[in-house]
Amino acid sequence: MIVPHECAGLRLDQALARMFPSHSRSRLQDWLRDGRVRLDGLVANEPKRKVWGGESLALEQPPTPEERAESAEDIPLAIVFEDAHLLVIDKPAGLVVHPGSGNWSGTLLNALLHHAPELAGVPRAGIVHRLDKDTSGLLVVARTLESQTALIRQLQARTVKRHYYALVIGDMRSGGMVDAPIGRHPVNRLRMAVVDGAREARTHYRVCERFGCATLVQCMLETGRTHQIRVHMQHLGHPLVGDPVYGPRRVADPRLSGFARQALHAFRLGLLHPASGQEMQWEVPMAEDMAQLIVALGGEAGYER
């Protein structure tokens, strides 16, 4: 783009504001400081510099959030299993699975595109199910379209085995099954809730160890609704320790109140290999922060599965 002669004598930031009226002046100044403006091929990052018209001007606009969402990023992955068809990841707490509002980069999807660039040709980079940002543990990714289709069919048929450790508040006396439909909360649309007439949801659970103030339970998903275990445990009157959405605002025991996330870890994953049909199963140890909390409560670091 050529700087028009009508801009002669203007400061560079003023000329930019006139030439690019769809952008705010503060945004243009940020781009100036970031070295995204070139005059006659050279970086121009001084807003007060004057232009005289006739210069060649290039403005490099940063990628939009949606464009960043599809970019590869060198983010370490804990790979439990990998072949030409599948990736099984042990996701740490704090890692967002898929880009979205407020998290357009630094996600598992960005990491997958760096680790396996061919995933750019698979919808959602092969992601077929999610874990919440602050839930840790096993997650499977399809490396091909055929594998993705096969895995989605298994999820729909409810043959994928997903087992979790959950530390819940209170003294849960026994295990059982929660059969309660889950949908959007009727008032707070950012939450899920047990709602009559919503999508069916079933969670099987059993008690592993009781600590009085809290109970370690093993949960097995029969269905896979958003926040299912978190909502179902709250429905039982035993919300997850550290859950900022479904848990109480205050917990008397400092060992529980100091836990910084919902205490939920996907430790076992089983499915049929999409190419061979072979039954496969993976297990990972409890996440370190949860294991340390269990020990602080008087439990063991490991549990028989």
Side-chain angles (χ1 to χ4, degrees):
M1 179 179 291
I2 302 300
V3 177
H5 289 288
E6 300 83 65
C7 292
L10 293 179
R11 292 172 18 154
L12 178 55
D13 58 350
Q14 294 171 330
L16 285 169
R18 186 172 297 186
M19 295 169 66
F20 300 95
S22 61
H23 298 297
S24 68
R25 182 167 293 188
S26 62
R27 177 179 292 174
L28 291 167
Q29 288 174 337
D30 287 342
W31 292 348
L32 263 173
R33 286 190 289 267
D34 292 343
R36 294 184 177 276
V37 177
R38 290 178 178 269
L39 275 179
D40 293 330
L42 300 176
V43 172
N45 55 10
E46 298 176 4
K48 296 182 180 180
R49 174 178 177 174
K50 290 192 175 183
V51 297
W52 302 105
E55 298 97 332
S56 172
L57 184 145
L59 174 62
E60 177 195 348
Q61 298 184 31
T64 65
E66 290 78 7
E67 290 169 338
R68 292 200 305 271
E70 300 299 327
S71 63
E73 297 180 38
D74 188 3
I75 300 170
L77 290 174
I79 298 174
V80 177
F81 174 84
E82 179 176 15
D83 67 6
H85 309 277
L86 296 177
L87 272 169
V88 177
I89 307 295
D90 185 2
K91 187 189 85 68
L95 180 63
V96 174
V97 171
H98 197 275
S101 178
N103 295 286
W104 291 109
S105 60
T107 70
L108 176 64
L109 183 144
N110 300 115
L112 290 169
L113 291 174
H114 181 271
H115 176 78
E118 72 274 10
L119 287 173
V122 183
R124 296 180 178 269
I127 296 169
V128 295
H129 69 111
R130 301 188 188 190
L131 296 177
D132 295 335
K133 174 185 175 182
D134 288 326
T135 297
S136 55
L138 291 170
L139 182 146
V140 64
V141 175
R143 297 192 72 160
T144 66
L145 286 169
E146 294 78 12
S147 294
Q148 190 175 48
T149 300
L151 291 176
I152 289 173
R153 286 175 177 168
Q154 289 186 51
L155 286 164
Q156 291 171 340
R158 303 177 183 175
T159 57
V160 177
K161 299 173 183 176
R162 289 172 287 173
H163 293 251
Y164 294 73
Y165 279 131
L167 186 67
V168 302
I169 296 172
D171 192 7
M172 184 180 285
R173 305 305 297 179
S174 62
M177 181 184 75
V178 185
D179 186 356
I182 291 177
R184 288 287 169 190
H185 193 283
V187 177
N188 186 345
R189 306 302 291 175
L190 298 178
R191 299 178 58 176
M192 308 301 288
V194 171
V195 179
D196 289 340
R199 301 179 71 187
E200 64 176 346
R202 284 188 286 275
T203 303
H204 302 263
Y205 64 98
R206 68 177 180 86
V207 172
C208 295
E209 189 163 359
R210 295 160 51 214
F211 307 106
C213 62
T215 306
L216 182 69
V217 297
Q218 184 184 133
C219 297
M220 190 275 285
L221 293 180
E222 185 174 327
T223 57
R225 308 302 175 214
T226 301
H227 298 175
Q228 179 170 318
I229 293 174
R230 299 165 66 186
V231 172
H232 274 172
M233 293 300 105
Q234 181 203 40
H235 183 66
L236 291 177
H238 295 283
L240 268 61
V241 169
D243 194 325
V245 177
Y246 303 101
R249 291 185 178 180
R250 295 180 182 178
V251 181
D253 193 312
R255 295 171 298 180
L256 304 184
S257 62
F259 198 68
R261 67 173 177 102
Q262 66 256 12
L264 186 61
H265 177 74
F267 74 91
R268 180 185 296 151
L269 177 68
L271 50 81
L272 298 179
H273 192 281
S276 68
Q278 178 184 354
E279 289 188 9
M280 305 195 75
Q281 182 169 283
W282 302 272
E283 294 186 10
V284 291
M286 185 183 292
E288 184 63 24
D289 59 347
M290 276 187 65
Q292 290 178 358
L293 178 57
I294 296 298
V295 171
L297 293 172
E300 300 292 333
Y303 286 89
E304 183 177 325
R305 302 180 176 90

